[in-house]
Amino acid sequence: MFSHIMVGARDMARMTAFYEAVLAPLGLVRDFTYEDTGPAGATWIVPGRPWQQFFVQFPFNGLPATWGNGAQVSFAAPTPQAAAAAWRAAMENGGFDEGAPGLRPHYGADYYAAYCRDPEGNKLCFAHTAELARSGIAAGT
């Protein structure tokens, strides 16, 4: 559905450490082989899959990064436990609670999700459903 997602950063070290902790429970790993001629940043991928990619990067236009009101990046979790672990890692690494882990039956009978904001205000969701797991979208599936 997408090739890559990029989130801007003002404090690259803080944001890289945050996403390193948060994305690990989801099975995403840093890709140190990616070479970009743009601003400094960090990249995560599913091992063995060159696409889809998630970037944290200084904005290309040189202006300070800002969060998008109404924007949300949602990560497919291989299990409900992984979604909860990602949310806990966010809370332990400077994130802000936007909705604790739990079932959200208004989205689907088995829709399990957790919501937070990263240290710079970007809204994140960690979601699991059996359908997502069967689709192979989540890392580790």
Side-chain angles (χ1 to χ4, degrees), residues 25-132:
L26 304 177
L28 299 169
V29 298
R30 282 282 299 278
D31 180 7
F32 292 96
T33 64
Y34 183 79
E35 294 183 30
D36 189 357
T37 58
T43 308
W44 286 264
I45 61 170
V46 174
R49 297 185 205 169
W51 299 95
Q52 299 147 316
Q53 303 165 343
F54 178 76
F55 293 89
V56 174
Q57 195 165 24
F58 290 128
F60 275 77
N61 65 5
L63 297 174
T66 59
W67 54 271
N69 187 26
Q72 175 178 286
V73 178
S74 300
F75 293 94
T79 64
Q81 294 80 9
W87 181 86
R88 281 192 307 277
M91 297 302 98
E92 294 166 0
N93 287 277
F96 303 94
D97 182 15
E98 287 282 336
L103 285 171
R104 306 300 200 275
H106 51 287
Y107 294 133
D110 72 337
Y111 191 90
Y112 186 94
Y115 300 86
C116 69
R117 291 194 182 268
D118 72 18
E120 294 192 9
N122 299 293
K123 190 170 183 184
L124 308 175
C125 171
F126 312 109
H128 172 80
T129 69
E131 185 175 10
L132 272 175

